[in-house]
Amino acid sequence: MDLIQQIIERAKNNKQRIVLPEATEERTLKAADMVLAEGVADLILIGNPDEIHALAEKWELKNIDKATLIDPENNPKSEEYAALLTELRKSKGMTIEKARELVKNPLYLGCMIIKTEGADGQISGALSTTGDTLRPALQIIKCSPGITCVSGAMLLITKKPEYGENGVLVVGDVAVTPMPDAAQLSQIAVCTAKTARSVAGFADPRVAMLSFSTKGSATHEVVDKVIEATRLAKELDPSLKIDGELQADAALVPSVGSKKCPDSEIAGKANVLVFPNLEVGNIGYKLVQRLGDAVAIGPILQGIARPVNDLSRGCSVEDIYYLVAITACQAMDAKG
């Protein structure tokens, strides 16, 4: 069974409640029909129910009635949500009038449903920007305890079973924070290891903090940042298996790792790679994807207290379907 199918099966075996706030968008509704048909998750669809039913009939979708439909313009909980949003954001000048308008916005409404424990995660982005997806999540759900920055992980499924976890690697950050400082980089390491457990199913995440230096082979302030981030990550999660700074070959190749870092439990055995900045991460995973013919799944947003994931506006029906399963796996882990 490949990794994607394993993720889907885990989602089916512990169904989570996932919000799709762009429910009248064609790809989203078709993906929802697949999710409901196969029992991958329980879905909450936000949109005008009459419009959703009409579109389902138009596209011959047979399973949409299995979802919970919420009309943002006629929601009996609107006043409750508006009052809570006003309380959550009063220090930022939120008024009840403004809150009443915001809770009609499907992206805000979905996050309010999660905040009040009516759902476990949310996916948007087929119509919305990343900023529009993240803003209500950070204002309402907020970051996980001990975490102050959001980051994005990528699953890389390679044809090299000798590397990572039978050829699978989890890498971050590839999507959100351009120039993390040492504290942020340490948080990215901890969060990416959690994603490796919850989504990729790694029983034993082994984190390599990447650099152009291995254990003092070069000196520079950017190397110092990686060394400090490694120390801080160990403080943030003392159980974390992590080492750095390591060059990519020292992290992945057993013969190189044993030569350069003979006493390291990570060198040559890493299955989680943390890039020193977003530029390196984005370039690196795309090179592996294109030149190494790897399958790249993500980005998977991490660091939010309950999972909120962002789609590309060019996403496919299958992309949304898979991200529902991924979000469900994250939600299981977030519940502890």
Side-chain angles (χ1 to χ4, degrees):
M1 187 185 298
D2 65 20
L3 177 59
I4 295 174
Q5 193 58 44
Q6 290 173 23
I7 291 168
I8 292 168
E9 289 302 316
R10 288 205 304 275
K12 287 181 179 180
N13 290 333
N14 189 353
K15 284 207 287 187
Q16 303 293 299
R17 301 161 298 170
I18 307 301
V19 182
L20 299 180
E22 299 168 327
T24 57
E25 193 276 330
E26 181 173 359
R27 294 161 298 173
T28 301
L29 198 58
K30 288 181 175 178
D33 191 68
M34 290 174 59
V35 168
L36 294 165
E38 298 183 20
V40 175
D42 293 325
L43 295 183
I44 297 169
L45 306 181
I46 298 179
N48 181 280
D50 291 338
E51 184 179 359
I52 291 172
H53 285 305
L55 291 172
E57 184 175 354
K58 175 183 176 181
W59 294 321
E60 299 182 347
L61 307 178
K62 306 299 184 184
N63 298 280
I64 297 304
D65 285 339
K66 297 176 183 177
T68 299
L69 273 54
I70 295 180
D71 185 350
E73 295 293 334
N74 294 286
N75 178 15
K77 292 190 175 182
S78 284
E79 194 63 22
E80 174 191 336
Y81 291 158
L84 177 56
L85 181 57
T86 303
E87 179 65 24
L88 290 171
R89 301 289 294 166
K90 63 183 180 182
S91 64
K92 302 296 183 181
M94 181 64 68
T95 64
I96 188 66
E97 292 78 16
K98 177 65 174 175
R100 285 172 177 147
E101 287 302 311
L102 283 176
V103 299
K104 294 179 182 179
N105 178 318
L107 302 179
Y108 274 83
L109 175 53
C111 288
M112 292 304 303
I113 295 169
I114 294 169
K115 184 68 173 180
T116 55
E117 299 186 354
D120 305 305
Q122 175 166 291
I123 298 166
S124 60
L127 294 174
S128 310
T129 66
T130 298
D132 288 340
T133 292
L134 280 176
R135 193 174 302 111
L138 293 176
Q139 290 178 2
I140 296 167
I141 303 171
K142 305 184 185 301
C143 288
S144 302
I147 304 297
T148 60
C149 75
V150 176
S151 55
M154 188 73 68
L155 309 184
L156 290 178
I157 305 172
T158 79
K159 297 179 179 179
K160 297 285 188 177
E162 64 269 30
Y163 300 134
E165 197 75 11
N166 196 31
V168 178
L169 294 157
V170 183
V171 302
D173 174 22
V174 299
V176 182
T177 305
M179 290 296 292
D181 58 25
Q184 291 171 321
L185 195 59
S186 71
Q187 295 174 24
I188 290 168
V190 170
C191 289
T192 307
K194 284 188 67 176
T195 297
R197 287 192 197 94
S198 64
V199 178
F202 290 4
D204 186 31
R206 300 179 296 277
V207 182
M209 304 293 281
L210 297 185
S211 177
F212 63 84
S213 169
T214 297
K215 298 297 183 179
S217 64
T219 57
H220 192 276
E221 61 185 22
V222 297
V223 177
D224 294 339
K225 180 184 78 170
V226 175
I227 295 169
E228 176 66 3
T230 305
R231 184 187 69 79
L232 292 172
K234 291 176 181 177
E235 290 184 356
L236 194 58
D237 182 0
S239 69
L240 188 64
K241 292 184 178 180
I242 185 170
D243 202 1
E245 83 285 18
L246 297 171
Q247 290 164 286
D249 58 350
L252 291 171
V253 184
S255 61
V256 177
S258 61
K259 182 178 180 180
K260 291 188 174 183
C261 308
D263 298 325
S264 173
E265 66 175 346
I266 302 301
K269 305 169 188 173
N271 53 21
V272 177
L273 305 180
V274 176
F275 298 113
N277 60 50
L278 178 56
E279 186 173 40
V280 175
N282 192 269
I283 292 169
Y285 98 76
K286 289 185 177 180
L287 285 174
V288 173
Q289 181 184 27
R290 300 300 179 180
L291 299 181
D293 197 24
V295 175
I297 300 173
I300 302 162
L301 295 183
Q302 50 189 23
I304 306 170
R306 290 291 183 270
V308 174
N309 275 309
D310 180 39
L311 294 156
S312 162
R313 277 173 281 179
C315 64
S316 67
V317 171
E318 289 74 20
D319 291 335
I320 302 171
Y321 172 84
Y322 295 145
L323 195 55
V324 168
I326 287 168
T327 305
C329 289
Q330 288 180 289
M332 294 175 215
D333 185 69
K335 290 177 180 179

